[in-house]
Amino acid sequence: RRGMPSRGAPRIAVIYVSGIINSGDSGFDPLNGDVAGSARLVKAIRSARADEGVRAIVVRIDSPGGSSIASDVIWRELNITKNEKPSRPLVASMSDLAASGGYYVAMAAPHIVAQPATLTGSIGIYGGKFITGGTFDKFGANIEAVIVGRNAGLESPDRPFTDSERQKLREQIRSFYDGFVGKVAASRKMPVERVEQLAQGRVWTGAQAQQNGLVDALGGLDRAIALAKERAGISPETNVEVVTYPERKSLAELLIEQLSGS
């Protein structure tokens, strides 16, 4: 909650996208830190969308990216939310990081706010795999697979890519990259050729991103909430209730998840 909102005060939903973006539930990974799970975030976005008292939605992003599929799922759900009720503004607020999949999610919002030093952009994608077959050999383990189809073993960690699989991976990466660039062009109302100059995996500060048209304004979460209020027709003097999504898990819930392996 922000300030001392009166009973029935307008609500602003703040949806946090924090950590590596992945499919499934949110949580904590000992190696990568916070995980922003697409399944949990979709549920949170739908909850905010269903709340008739929510006058505006702010997506608070602090993420280096992650799964391209999970990022696209979150982006799609935010787009549905934006288009379902155009009078309810959607604003993206970038924290320390909004790179790759983090920026992919942000571009669902017509209005993007970044800190001057936010690492943003990194419009690109990479792919590959770790080959672990030799490690299993050292332990005396043997991996055998039954494969139907020329590229069915593309993701097998037992061996390197064949020429056909490598070409297929290149095609997949190029297809997603072109889609990423096209979405940025549509969102930021820029020619594809201009976006291509800013893309190619390049990373910008928030100030540079504003100069290049990738973000609209500079500031923190307060600036984004103020912009959301303005776009929603709420006067600056009006106190609002800030509701955060997803709901924070208790320490006991986090411990149970770790112990149960979920």
Side-chain angles (χ1 to χ4, degrees):
R1 296 173 186 270
R2 187 172 294 273
M4 292 294 291
S6 59
R7 188 174 181 181
R11 288 197 287 275
I12 305 288
V14 178
I15 301 171
Y16 284 85
V17 181
S18 302
I20 300 290
I21 297 174
N22 220 333
S23 299
D25 199 6
S26 299
F28 182 83
D29 185 291
L31 295 177
N32 298 312
D34 289 333
V35 175
S38 61
R40 190 158 189 245
L41 282 166
V42 164
K43 192 182 209 178
I45 295 166
R46 289 175 179 173
S47 294
R49 186 167 75 220
D51 188 339
E52 292 298 328
V54 168
R55 297 277 300 278
I57 297 174
V58 175
V59 185
R60 178 66 168 173
I61 301 166
D62 187 7
S63 172
S67 164
S68 57
I69 294 175
S71 300
D72 192 65
V73 166
I74 298 167
W75 172 86
R76 177 182 179 275
E77 200 64 38
L78 288 171
N79 264 281
I80 291 172
T81 301
K82 174 182 64 180
N83 295 330
E84 183 181 273
K85 193 174 182 181
S87 62
R88 177 183 52 208
L90 177 64
V91 176
S93 171
M94 297 176 171
S95 182
D96 293 347
L97 282 168
S100 192
Y103 187 76
Y104 193 105
V105 170
M107 66 183 178
H111 314 289
I112 302 177
V113 180
Q115 296 279 11
T118 299
L119 295 181
T120 187
S122 190
I123 299 167
I125 180 176
Y126 67 91
K129 65 180 178 179
F130 291 101
I131 307 301
T132 58
T135 303
F136 287 107
D137 290 341
K138 291 179 181 179
F139 287 102
N142 182 47
I143 299 176
E144 293 185 8
V146 177
I147 297 175
V148 178
R150 184 174 55 177
N151 298 315
L154 188 146
E155 296 185 1
S156 171
D158 186 42
R159 56 168 177 75
F161 295 115
T162 65
D163 290 342
S164 174
E165 290 168 348
R166 195 179 301 277
Q167 179 59 32
K168 178 57 66 176
L169 180 62
R170 284 199 182 102
E171 291 173 3
Q172 291 174 346
I173 290 175
R174 171 52 66 176
S175 175
F176 184 86
Y177 176 77
D178 289 344
F180 196 167
V181 169
K183 285 182 173 68
V184 174
S187 171
R188 306 305 303 166
K189 298 179 174 57
M190 297 166 61
V192 170
E193 295 76 17
R194 174 56 180 157
V195 175
E196 180 64 31
Q197 294 172 352
L198 302 171
Q200 304 175 54
R202 301 178 69 182
V203 178
W204 308 93
T205 66
Q208 291 171 327
Q210 184 193 32
Q211 292 170 0
N212 288 322
L214 294 177
V215 304
D216 300 292
L218 299 179
L221 181 57
D222 285 347
R223 177 74 180 90
I225 290 174
L227 180 59
K229 287 174 65 175
E230 177 187 329
R231 297 286 177 178
I234 303 170
S235 68
E237 298 78 19
T238 301
N239 286 324
V240 296
E241 181 182 4
V242 176
V243 186
T244 61
Y245 295 86
E247 292 183 4
R248 302 289 184 179
K249 293 184 179 181
S250 68
L251 178 60
E253 288 175 321
L254 290 172
L255 287 173
I256 290 171
E257 284 186 359
Q258 290 296 318
L259 292 172
S260 65
S262 58

